[in-house]
Amino acid sequence: MNAKMKRLLAVLCGIVILCNSGMGLVAHAQERIETLIIGAYQELTGDHVGHGIYDIPYMRDERAATLTDCTIGISIGADGVKGSISTGSTVTASKIGVENIRVEKYVNGKWTLVGSHSGGYVTNDNNYGMDVYTTSAQKGVQYRISCTHYAILNGVRHELFNVTNGISY
């Protein structure tokens, strides 16, 4: 009986070790997304450029405190995926920024995470811009970028989830 328990415990420990090492491999497969520039939104150039499907146009002359000029752009090439993100508000925000940035690729009928970035923010301003990139991309594979634009305006958090269509080169 004691030998059976020891064998069972050894098998269970082996399964736990295999599961943990497999999960570690999946976590390491994600590419780290780097921040390029924190500044104004820059229109991306090239043949393979897309934009967010929930972009909010520029309307800074509005009186109500709300998000404006929220855009996300994506560019794909042999050197990787590039994204340019901007969040704006009609009034000065106590905090304004972008969070939960995700770069995904379309594989076997589903979007798979390639890398992520927590984002960034500024205080007491009415716009925030951020560029991100990966160092590689596969030819013929679709990529997309998603993020959450947000601002705290007059003590109230306003946010917009935004995602680009998938594009490839």
Side-chain angles (χ1 to χ4, degrees):
M1 189 79 144
N2 229 356
K4 284 186 180 182
M5 290 299 279
K6 286 182 182 179
R7 243 184 259 160
L8 180 61
L9 184 60
V11 169
L12 288 174
C13 287
I15 291 171
V16 168
I17 289 170
L18 284 175
C19 288
N20 282 341
S21 66
M23 287 179 195
L25 291 174
V26 170
H28 293 297
Q30 291 182 17
E31 185 169 344
R32 194 175 135 187
I33 298 177
E34 300 290 337
T35 301
L36 280 174
I37 302 166
I38 297 178
Y41 175 84
Q42 296 180 355
E43 184 64 31
L44 298 170
T45 59
D47 294 331
H48 311 287
V49 176
H51 295 279
I53 57 178
Y54 303 115
D55 289 355
I56 297 177
Y58 179 84
M59 55 179 192
R60 291 263 165 78
D61 297 333
E62 298 291 319
R63 293 189 181 270
T66 188
L67 291 173
T68 183
D69 199 21
C70 295
T71 55
I72 182 172
I74 183 173
S75 173
I76 308 287
D79 57 343
V81 179
K82 294 180 180 130
S84 188
I85 304 166
S86 174
T87 304
S89 62
T90 56
V91 298
T92 299
S94 56
K95 184 176 182 182
I96 187 168
V98 179
E99 63 187 10
N100 302 323
I101 302 167
R102 295 172 54 94
V103 176
E104 299 170 310
K105 67 180 178 178
Y106 197 67
V107 179
N108 296 325
K110 65 179 181 178
W111 289 103
T112 305
L113 184 65
V114 173
S116 61
H117 193 283
S118 59
Y121 68 91
V122 293
T123 57
N124 300 318
D125 207 334
N126 67 346
N127 61 37
Y128 178 80
M130 177 178 200
D131 290 351
V132 295
Y133 73 97
T134 66
T135 56
S136 64
Q138 295 173 303
K139 188 170 182 105
V141 175
Q142 287 191 347
Y143 289 85
R144 73 179 183 182
I145 297 179
S146 64
C147 69
T148 301
H149 305 272
Y150 73 95
I152 299 176
L153 308 171
N154 300 329
V156 177
R157 181 182 167 100
H158 297 256
E159 65 181 47
L160 169 74
F161 172 77
N162 203 355
V163 63
T164 64
N165 286 323
I167 64 168
S168 62
Y169 77 99

